[in-house]
Amino acid sequence: MELIQENPELSAYLAVSEAIDHDHPQVRATAARLRAETTDAYTYAKAAFEFVRDTVPHSHDADDPRVTWRASDVLTRRTGICFAKAHALAALLRAESIPTALCYQKLDTLHGLIALKLPGGDWARQDPRGNKPGVDAQFRTDREQLAWPVRTDLGEADSPVLYAEPRPVVLRCLRRAADRAELWRTLPTDF
């Protein structure tokens, strides 16, 4: 699948926003810790991916009722659904000047992931959702190894669009939900 930048300016994929608040002290401190253990953009990106995937439990898997949506909150509270975890990873990558986009899959509900652009490379989608039995998302730039393969026979679809900011329907849903149970009832189902 050919990935398409919503915004032709690469700088849009480095911007700070309310959800991707990579200027926040919590994000900056986490990025600095990860950077200290890496040697280049690739090893930093892989470390950031594994950090979010493995140390921030998916709130559904952990049965955590809290709803997070801002990257700094995800990193502070160590919880979030796919969208929130994508925001956290995007913030960690943008904090180190790695262009990062938000991507979506239409499964039974919308699913959030990211794409990054390493120096000299093409956009590569990554899914920090969190592994569990039956889910084995890995950091790969040679091919995709996402949490969920799209099953077109069931009406599922990948969006090829690379968004600089979270989709408004996603942010609206995350912001309005009082807890994860309410969030689960109101998750968006389309791009």
Side-chain angles (χ1 to χ4, degrees):
M1 172 177 66
E2 181 181 342
L3 299 174
I4 304 160
Q5 287 181 216
E6 172 197 36
N7 189 321
E9 298 297 325
L10 202 55
S11 61
Y13 300 93
L14 294 168
V16 172
S17 68
E18 192 175 10
I20 304 172
D21 58 342
H22 64 81
D23 57 347
H24 188 279
Q26 178 67 36
V27 177
R28 301 301 303 174
T30 304
R33 279 195 309 277
L34 293 168
R35 182 179 57 250
E37 301 169 5
T38 60
T39 58
D40 58 20
Y42 177 89
T43 58
Y44 174 83
K46 184 176 187 214
F49 168 84
E50 290 174 349
F51 178 82
V52 173
R53 182 194 65 189
D54 299 343
T55 72
V56 178
H58 189 286
S59 58
H60 181 70
D61 296 348
D63 198 25
D64 190 326
R66 298 173 296 167
V67 176
T68 56
W69 59 272
R70 187 178 286 118
S72 57
D73 292 338
V74 173
L75 296 175
T76 300
R77 296 180 183 167
R78 293 289 176 98
T79 190
I81 67 166
C82 61
F83 304 122
K85 291 182 68 154
H87 300 167
L89 180 55
L92 289 172
L93 295 170
R94 289 182 183 187
E96 291 299 310
S97 301
I98 298 172
T100 308
L102 297 164
C103 308
Y104 300 94
Q105 293 177 311
K106 182 182 182 290
L107 306 173
D108 55 334
T109 62
L110 216 52
H111 175 62
L113 51 151
I114 65 105
L116 58 82
K117 187 169 180 49
L118 292 170
D122 294 324
W123 286 101
R125 293 191 313 166
Q126 309 294 329
D127 192 342
R129 182 235 177 264
N131 290 340
K132 63 180 188 173
V135 176
D136 184 29
Q138 298 295 323
F139 184 85
R140 309 236 6 188
T141 56
D142 60 333
R143 65 178 176 85
E144 290 186 344
Q145 190 167 339
L146 307 176
W148 312 113
V150 166
R151 300 167 298 179
T152 55
D153 57 314
L154 297 177
E156 297 177 349
D158 272 313
S159 172
V161 180
L162 301 172
Y163 296 99
E165 293 301 322
R167 302 297 301 142
V169 67
V170 168
L171 282 181
R172 203 169 28 253
C173 177
L174 290 169
R175 286 178 174 154
R176 289 181 181 170
D179 58 25
R180 190 179 43 81
E182 180 182 344
L183 177 62
W184 232 240
R185 290 189 302 273
T186 61
L187 284 172
T189 58
D190 209 343
F191 307 115

